[in-house]
Amino acid sequence: MTTDALLGPAQIRDLAGRLGVRPTKSLGQNFVVDAGTVRRIVRIAQVTPGERVVEIGPGLGSLTLGLLDAGADVLAVEIDPVLAEQLPLTVAERAPDLAGRLTVLTADALTLTALPGPPPTALVANLPYNVAVPVLLSFLARFDSLERVLVMVQAEVADRLVAPPGSRTYGIPSAKAAWYASARSAGSIGRAVFWPVPRVDSSLVALERRDPPPTTATRQEVFAVVDAAFAQRRKMLRSALAGVAGSGAAAAAALVAAGVDPTSRGERLDIAAFARIAEQLHR
Ligand code: SAM
């Protein structure tokens, strides 16, 4: 183990000072300053030596160093050019033996459509909180080599991602994530491990890719039904889906054919039921 290479509060302060980094809220820049937290994330992610891992938002490199130390080949996608330029230098300085296994891409993870090098099998990241759900869903949609995900997100977002149908926090992120993967809560993270200290709590979410429910409807068609059902959460499905179906009567007919009670609400349905409804609407 070369865990001495991991960054602590003094190293983060020093790096940020040298670079003139002033963390911005708009980019969700809260950096992990605790090596124990990094080790915990890497352990839960079950990264194997030689595995290709994509990290979104490496920042000053706290987690990147931990992933490299576990033997991963890391592709790090960072939007902030100052941080992206510094990252290879930080790794070369702190863990020169590991530097050859790092690739840094200066890019917006939201708009990225291709990744250089071997396809990654795992996504491990402390995600920028303001774009966590769209970044996660777009990576699952675009990069089907990803089999496992471990992300740190705002605790509230984590609750939504892992919520089962019928629970208070079940909604669009839960249903859409369930199209790609099974999601489970993988622990909470205290605020004190970040600089600057965020105003929200954080949690880890682990996702494991699985096949989507069998259906002739496309993912876009299924997601349109999910969006419509939750846009009017309090409405019965036959009303909430009137727009996508063309009329309330057409929505009711599709719901019955899909085996769903037209008077029920979207928050009760799992992704397989949304897929059956979309299939009926697009026959
Ligand atoms: N991984 C680092 C850590 O744990 O200390 C930093 C995590 S910080 C919560 C989020 C990082 O994501 C920042 O470095 C920020 O610049 C970067 N970021 C924000 N929006 C991004 C985007 N759309 N694409 C790629 N990186 C982004």
Side-chain angles (χ1 to χ4, degrees):
M1 278 293 251
T2 52
T3 38
D4 285 352
L6 298 184
L7 300 166
Q11 291 82 21
I12 291 281
R13 247 195 324 271
D14 174 56
L15 253 179
R18 274 197 274 151
L19 295 172
V21 168
R22 304 183 65 194
T24 70
K25 252 195 164 162
S26 61
L27 290 179
Q29 291 178 334
N30 297 93
F31 304 110
V32 172
V33 299
D34 176 55
T37 300
V38 167
R39 280 193 285 269
R40 184 174 155 212
I41 295 172
V42 171
R43 194 174 59 241
I44 298 173
Q46 295 185 319
V47 170
T48 52
E51 181 170 21
R52 178 82 161 170
V53 175
V54 62
E55 181 190 1
I56 298 165
L60 290 166
S62 307
L63 181 56
T64 320
L65 282 161
L67 292 167
L68 289 167
D69 189 45
D73 279 355
V74 179
L75 169 62
V77 182
E78 173 58 59
I79 198 170
D80 185 328
V82 173
L83 299 179
E85 255 174 57
Q86 175 60 34
L87 188 57
L89 306 178
T90 302
V91 173
E93 193 179 302
R94 301 195 64 81
D97 298 354
L98 310 179
R101 287 199 269 103
L102 171 69
T103 309
V104 181
L105 194 59
T106 310
D108 180 348
L110 274 174
T111 56
L112 209 55
T113 52
L115 299 174
T121 47
L123 162 63
V124 184
N126 172 12
L127 288 176
Y129 287 3
N130 37 356
V131 291
V133 170
V135 164
L136 173 66
L137 294 178
S138 68
F139 263 60
L140 285 167
R142 290 178 195 150
F143 307 118
D144 49 12
S145 63
L146 291 173
E147 289 161 11
R148 288 175 294 113
V149 173
L150 183 72
V151 283
M152 173 143 61
V153 293
Q154 191 177 331
E156 217 175 274
V157 171
D159 288 347
R160 287 201 204 121
L161 284 170
V162 304
S167 68
R168 197 179 44 81
T169 48
Y170 185 68
I172 292 174
S174 345
K176 290 187 178 174
W179 173 266
Y180 304 102
S182 60
R184 68 177 173 85
S185 174
S188 47
I189 304 275
R191 299 182 189 194
V193 306
F194 298 98
W195 173 74
V197 175
R199 287 219 201 102
V200 294
D201 292 320
S202 302
S203 294
L204 297 170
V205 176
L207 298 104
E208 205 159 315
R209 172 118 30 200
R210 64 176 177 208
D211 288 337
T215 176
T216 56
T218 64
R219 185 183 70 226
Q220 285 78 2
E221 289 166 348
V222 177
F223 282 13
V225 174
V226 172
D227 288 334
F230 286 104
Q232 307 182 56
R233 217 185 150 91
R234 297 278 145 233
K235 281 200 178 169
M236 291 178 194
L237 280 165
R238 70 174 173 222
S239 313
L241 300 185
V244 283
S247 70
L255 286 160
V256 170
V260 176
D261 177 356
T263 65
S264 62
R265 293 181 171 76
E267 59 206 25
R268 299 254 148 227
L269 302 190
D270 64 10
I271 190 65
F274 283 116
R276 289 200 307 275
I277 298 167
E279 186 165 323
Q280 291 303 325
L281 288 173
H282 295 278
R283 273 157 66 92

